[in-house]
Amino acid sequence: MAGTKEIRTKIASVRSTQKITKAMQMVATSKMRRAQDRMRLARPYADKMRTVIGHLSAANPDYRHPFMVTRAAKSIGIIVISTDRGLCGGLNANLFKSTLHLMREWQQQGAEVNLCLIGSKGLGFFRRLGLPILANVTHLGDRPHVKDLIGTVKVMLDAYREGRIDRLFLVNAHFVNTMTQQPSVEQLLPVEPVGTADLAEHWDYIYEPSAAGILDGVLMRYIESQVYRGAVENVASEMAARMVAMKAASDNAGKLINELQLIYNKARQAAITKELAEIVGGAAAV
Amino acid sequence: MANTIDVDVVSAEGEIFSGPALMVFVPASEGDIGIAPRHAPLLTLLKAGEVRIQTPDGGEHLIFVGGGVLEIQPRKVTVLADTALRARDIDEAAALAAKQRAEEALKDKVDKISQAEALAELTRAAAQLKLIEKLRKLKG
């Protein structure tokens, strides 16, 4: 009978784990939906920004903002957006793998790599590499705000302006759908020339105070909005990945419980049979 | 509908207002401006303040913006609003905080990180207070 009690406690512990994973799965599902909404809400702003930049650069073809000039790449900056918490499958591992790939590619060309880390998982991973980390921010929560990112992005923009980095990349988990999240690498700086599709509707603005000043403000906000979008998308990806991982964990726990239940029943049956045999044997002896 | 103009107020975190308006007032960096339909195309930066939109049904919308960009196209006004209060010193403090965090993180001292974070929080709060005071002075 000693075995059955152990099995019963084991079943109870697996069951309580399953309860936790199930709860986490449901929480992740609802958070994912909200993160997806925020992703959608961020789109019009970025689109409008892009149009304004397109108009501006079409109207002033001779003026080139430093953010639009491509320099020889002696040194690059990478903004890596990772999650703050684990238990989300291979999301961060895949992200770091493609970041390392990007880093190696540029290092082979003789460029130095500077990092900007958003999220504590990335901090824990890249700290060990001994590369310069220019800025970092963690614990943005499930609802990242633009205001929490401004400082971090500004460090990288300043570094670019001062010529300490010649390229700026953004790495984050791209939300394809609930089942698939892929690491995405995007070049933020220099800003690639924006397509001027609506040249037919071309006019020039009155600028107050000056085209250069406005372009500076617009480009800065544009980069910030890109990083914000990356952060929100990363949250959606994190939640989706966690949802899938927790679903798998709950399913596995269910399977484990079934197996344990079977073993428990067998052990119980064996004990009963043994007891009966003993009683019958005892009765026969009398 | 010749006497209305389409207005879009969007921020990075969502759309705030979208619809026709009779008149829009915005706090541009060079001074407040009122925009009537058929305003000349204009591009300018905004400072913190109120965007006032008069709708055709006689209503009025007040939206607070922390700054941003204003674009006037021949038939359309777009306000790209900042969700955060921003001024040079606040941005600077935030940047400094981000740098500090990175330096502290590299040193791998947990208590130091929280200390730096607290310090950064303090500088940020102080900067924000300064801005609020400035805004109040500007208004009053």
Side-chain angles (χ1 to χ4, degrees):
Chain A
M1 282 305 276
T4 55
K5 186 159 173 14
E6 272 162 31
I7 295 169
R8 225 168 29 215
T9 31
K10 181 91 185 143
I11 289 176
S13 97
V14 173
R15 192 163 280 148
S16 65
T17 310
Q18 190 190 29
K19 263 184 205 154
I20 294 168
T21 56
K22 237 183 206 152
M24 282 179 81
Q25 181 199 334
M26 280 187 289
V27 170
T29 311
S30 78
K31 278 187 179 167
M32 180 191 75
R33 236 169 258 142
R34 260 176 281 153
Q36 267 178 295
D37 282 346
R38 275 197 288 282
M39 238 165 78
R40 220 187 41 242
L41 286 173
R43 208 162 291 150
Y45 183 82
D47 288 347
K48 295 237 161 75
M49 273 290 179
R50 211 171 296 136
T51 336
V52 172
I53 294 171
H55 285 165
L56 264 170
S57 46
N60 303 280
D62 44 320
Y63 175 70
R64 277 271 165 272
H65 191 273
F67 286 172
M68 293 174 145
V69 182
T70 309
R71 302 187 291 235
K74 287 191 293 291
S75 161
I76 64 162
I78 307 174
I79 300 179
V80 186
I81 305 180
S82 59
T83 67
D84 276 328
R85 274 173 287 175
L87 290 182
C88 49
L91 189 75
N92 285 321
N94 289 335
L95 194 74
F96 298 156
K97 213 185 285 166
S98 60
T99 311
L100 288 175
H101 187 73
L102 175 75
M103 274 160 49
R104 209 167 305 132
E105 223 169 77
W106 284 94
Q107 276 166 340
Q108 273 165 4
Q109 294 175 33
E112 280 172 43
V113 176
N114 295 285
L115 293 168
C116 166
L117 303 171
I118 299 175
S120 43
K121 287 285 159 191
L123 186 64
F125 181 82
F126 287 106
R127 191 159 53 187
R128 277 175 280 156
L129 296 184
L131 290 167
I133 300 171
L134 296 188
N136 99 289
V137 59
T138 55
H139 301 291
L140 291 177
D142 303 328
R143 297 193 56 166
H145 288 292
V146 178
K147 77 175 193 324
D148 301 323
L149 295 167
I150 288 173
T152 317
V153 175
K154 187 174 161 56
V155 172
M156 296 315 269
L157 293 184
D158 285 348
Y160 186 85
R161 236 183 238 130
E162 290 159 13
R164 278 183 287 135
I165 56 173
D166 305 304
R167 297 274 189 287
L168 183 60
F169 293 93
L170 175 69
V171 184
N172 71 286
H174 172 54
F175 184 90
V176 182
N177 55 42
T178 320
M179 300 305 288
T180 328
Q181 297 88 35
Q182 282 164 349
S184 90
V185 178
E186 205 182 321
Q187 182 173 323
L188 291 180
L189 287 175
V191 175
E192 272 156 17
V194 190
T196 46
D198 51 351
L199 268 180
E201 236 192 309
H202 179 243
W203 65 88
D204 200 2
Y205 300 99
I206 305 167
Y207 300 101
E208 277 180 16
S210 67
I214 292 167
L215 192 54
D216 194 60
V218 172
L219 281 172
M220 189 182 73
R221 286 182 173 82
Y222 176 66
I223 305 290
E224 279 164 10
S225 79
Q226 289 293 301
V227 176
Y228 170 75
R229 183 201 48 75
V232 173
E233 194 166 0
N234 203 63
V235 171
S237 303
E238 176 192 354
M239 293 308 161
R242 180 165 300 138
M243 192 181 91
V244 173
M246 287 303 116
K247 177 146 176 36
S250 304
D251 290 350
N252 283 342
K255 250 183 243 159
L256 200 61
I257 289 171
N258 280 343
E259 273 166 32
L260 284 172
Q261 193 73 52
L262 207 63
I263 295 170
Y264 170 75
N265 288 349
K266 269 185 194 156
R268 186 174 142 271
Q269 192 56 55
I272 292 170
T273 313
K274 197 174 139 212
E275 222 167 277
L276 270 179
E278 274 165 10
I279 291 167
V280 171
V286 172
Chain B
M1 294 301 278
N3 281 328
T4 61
I5 187 161
D6 281 329
V7 182
D8 274 327
V9 182
V10 290
S11 78
E13 293 176 17
E15 193 164 73
I16 301 169
F17 178 89
S18 177
L22 294 171
M23 189 92 182
V24 189
F25 300 92
V26 296
S29 62
E30 309 290 292
D32 286 13
I33 53 173
I35 304 147
R38 297 198 209 147
H39 192 288
L42 171 80
L43 197 64
T44 185
L45 297 174
L46 299 181
K47 57 186 186 193
E50 285 169 355
V51 171
R52 202 145 54 88
I53 302 163
Q54 289 175 347
T55 51
D57 55 15
E60 208 175 48
H61 285 265
L62 280 177
I63 299 159
F64 178 79
V65 292
V69 180
L70 169 78
E71 189 205 21
I72 306 175
Q73 291 177 16
R75 285 173 296 277
K76 201 168 174 118
V77 176
T78 310
V79 178
L80 297 159
D82 292 335
T83 42
L85 268 186
R86 47 192 322 175
R88 197 166 280 275
D89 48 348
I90 291 185
D91 284 10
E92 210 65 64
L96 210 66
K99 260 187 216 168
Q100 251 173 5
R101 276 197 299 269
E103 280 161 19
E104 295 296 334
L106 278 176
K107 279 185 202 155
D108 199 12
K109 280 179 188 156
V110 183
D111 51 345
K112 272 246 174 140
I113 292 176
S114 50
Q115 201 187 339
E117 235 164 342
L119 200 71
E121 205 70 49
L122 204 70
T123 36
R124 205 178 309 162
Q128 229 144 17
L129 275 177
K130 215 189 285 171
L131 181 85
I132 290 165
E133 220 164 57
K134 222 182 282 170
L135 281 176
R136 214 174 269 152
K137 228 176 267 170
L138 278 177
K139 276 206 164 170

